[in-house]
Amino acid sequence: MAKQRKSAPKVRIRRSQLIGGLESEMKQFVLILIASFGLLSSKAQTGVDTLSEAIVKPGPWPAQASGTRQNIVVRGKDLDDLPVRDLSDLMRFLPGVEIQARGPFGTQADISMRGSTFNQILVLIDGMEVNDPLTGHFNMNLPVLLGDIEQIEIIKGPASALYGPDAVGGVILIRTKSFEPERMKRASLRADLTGGAFGLAGAELIGFFGNGGALGGKVLRSDGQPLNGADAPSYFRQFGATSARIFQWKSGLMLKVRFSYDFRDFDARYYYTQSTLDQSREEVERTWVQSSLEKMWNNGAQTIWSTAMAITTDSFIFNPQFTPNAHTAITQRTRILHRFEANNGSSFQVGADGEFVQVRSNDRGDHQLAHGGAFGIWSYRPNNTWTLQLSSRLDLEKAYGLKWVPQADISRDFGRWSAFASAGRSIRSADLTERYVSTNLPGPLSGRRNLGNPELGTEDAWSWEAGLRSSHRAPIWISGSAFLRNSRQLIDYVLTPGNEIPTASNVSDTLSYFYAGNLGKLDLAGVDLALNMHYQRAAFSARGSLGYVLLRQLNDQQIASKYLASYARDQISVQGTLKYKKVYLGFQGLHKKRDAAYVAAINRTLDPDYFVINSGLGTYLWRDRIDWSVQCLNILNRKYSDILGAPMPERWVYMRLIVHLKKGSTNTERRCQE
């Protein structure tokens, strides 16, 4: 999002124009946690539920064989006890996941896994991809309410053979309550109220009517902290709504439909540039329509036809003296999936999917693109010891023609321990911003702005992984893996003289631009370790996770680009909840180590490391129907940034009140049933 050309002194954004010392502290903290987990394990009961590595029932998407990856599973009912108001707030503290946020409370955030860029992660809601074709910066603008989340499964590593392009670093699978038939048969109401410092106020309400219908909405706003000076508070406004309905027939046919809406208006100063002229604000609006038609056959086979349409409108103004960028992207996706089992321990999944995109933009121009693919997955489990899954996909797009994407996953259960390994290919085509940003503007363009390249090639990567995990039937279980990714033709922006840019006629030969290009190869190796625990005895319980990820570049090529080298070299994350009777303490901690950076023009620094802790203390009231808590972000009041130039909030205290009403049960009974 570079600065715009100069125009009239006053411009209003109109979306209607386009329809359609730190390390030692962390070490002490981690040692205390490990010691605490060890003490608890000596007295813990067995047979408890798990926080991650849980057995996940198949959803309306291709299913990864259980136990063949180092996955993370988070239950929706655990979100109430953690200091989170947005999914990005949750994911930044999960083992092996890195969030590069530009603002508080999920205002704008990029997600990365194992050194990937934000464009190399695939996000699905109930089986349908929500990635935006215009830019990966919008991939976490999810049209889903916190109270509607049933479960989040995070698959680390490549998965393009199962889910399609962009699944280079990993996949996020979000399952909602409003698409779960059994959930929708139970009438319930959830209200979530928030109020705190800096004018923070919010409410979320969602109701399940017991007849297959659900309806909900949310609003969250703040005047913001003065992170960019007293005259420039980092304000934000968010609004969302959702409705869903499930229809079932005795013939085994089921139809699920959803309509959702998400709107965000926020101060975007230094989110995308380090210019002294940056006074950015941005509005992003997304409308989401989704359906799934499912048929269960008499022989146990299942056929699922899913469709989704997303309309995303982005209005970005860099400075009131410049013309705003305005874009509208209409994305239509469809997938058909058929799964069945054989008598010899084999199961099969076959299907095809397609995508059609239309974009109108005053900055990038008007474009259309289409994409499609077909896949087949064979899973073999001859006994309770071995699991093998072979996946293959043929993918077709004009930019790269026909690509074959294979993948193999295997696991072996040894009782208390199991081993797993995988190997696969992943691909990613350039998004429309990488191809066309600033190409539709008259020249000569001002220097150091982003410039697209219509002739970009396709990213191609091969990945390998091997690891071990302990049995998750124990109160404490650990997992670890080593992985390697060999990537070629990676896409990023590099500062390039105008006279060396062959694809643009609107540049100056005497200036330089951040020009999108394919940057050769990158060999990245890493280690991903996770410790999870769930302990319960009498009135006390503890649940949590601790993770460490180490990433190192193996080849000597130095890539001086915008995003490829922005990943954390070392990251430690911790998250959990301690409960005693009706009182609970939720906590999150994160330590990052990365390359330092400095911009003299705006006097902003990206420190080489930081350590941040969030916490919340709460209690259950009124027969456990009310959950009241005081929560604090950045309790140590650290000054830190994930993105150079965009400071994250300092200490922020707020109160939260959650009310659960369910026909015929208390909140305690509700949690047990869930």
Side-chain angles (χ1 to χ4, degrees), residues 601-671:
I602 58 175
N603 192 28
R604 294 295 172 91
T605 300
L606 190 70
D607 293 328
D609 59 7
Y610 73 76
F611 174 41
V612 64
I613 295 178
N614 300 339
S615 185
L617 181 65
T619 184
Y620 299 111
L621 306 170
W622 190 36
R623 299 179 64 193
D624 292 344
R625 292 189 177 98
I626 293 179
D627 180 351
W628 179 83
S629 63
V630 177
Q631 303 187 352
C632 183
L633 304 182
N634 193 2
I635 195 170
L636 300 179
N637 204 30
R638 302 293 192 190
K639 294 183 182 296
Y640 74 101
S641 299
D642 286 324
I643 303 293
L644 179 61
M648 289 296 288
E650 298 173 11
R651 185 183 295 120
W652 199 324
V653 180
Y654 62 94
M655 291 189 296
R656 191 176 181 189
L657 182 69
I658 303 175
V659 180
H660 293 279
L661 298 177
K662 183 178 178 182
K663 190 174 181 180
S665 69
T666 66
N667 194 39
T668 301
E669 292 168 339
R670 173 191 65 82
R671 294 198 303 271

Side-chain angles (χ1 to χ4, degrees), residues 246-262:
I246 296 180
F247 303 90
Q248 290 181 279
W249 293 273
K250 293 182 179 180
S251 61
L253 196 65
M254 179 166 51
L255 175 65
K256 306 173 183 178
V257 293
R258 170 186 290 121
F259 172 86
S260 296
Y261 175 80
D262 183 85

Side-chain angles (χ1 to χ4, degrees), residues 134-178:
L134 188 67
T135 171
H137 290 310
F138 298 158
N139 290 348
M140 289 302 292
N141 292 14
L142 301 175
V144 61
L145 304 181
L146 275 181
D148 194 22
I149 294 175
E150 172 73 5
Q151 183 173 269
I152 303 168
E153 182 182 8
I154 298 175
I155 299 175
K156 303 178 189 179
S160 287
L162 282 79
Y163 304 103
D166 299 346
V168 180
V171 179
I172 299 172
L173 303 172
I174 300 173
R175 185 194 298 267
T176 66
K177 297 174 183 176
S178 55

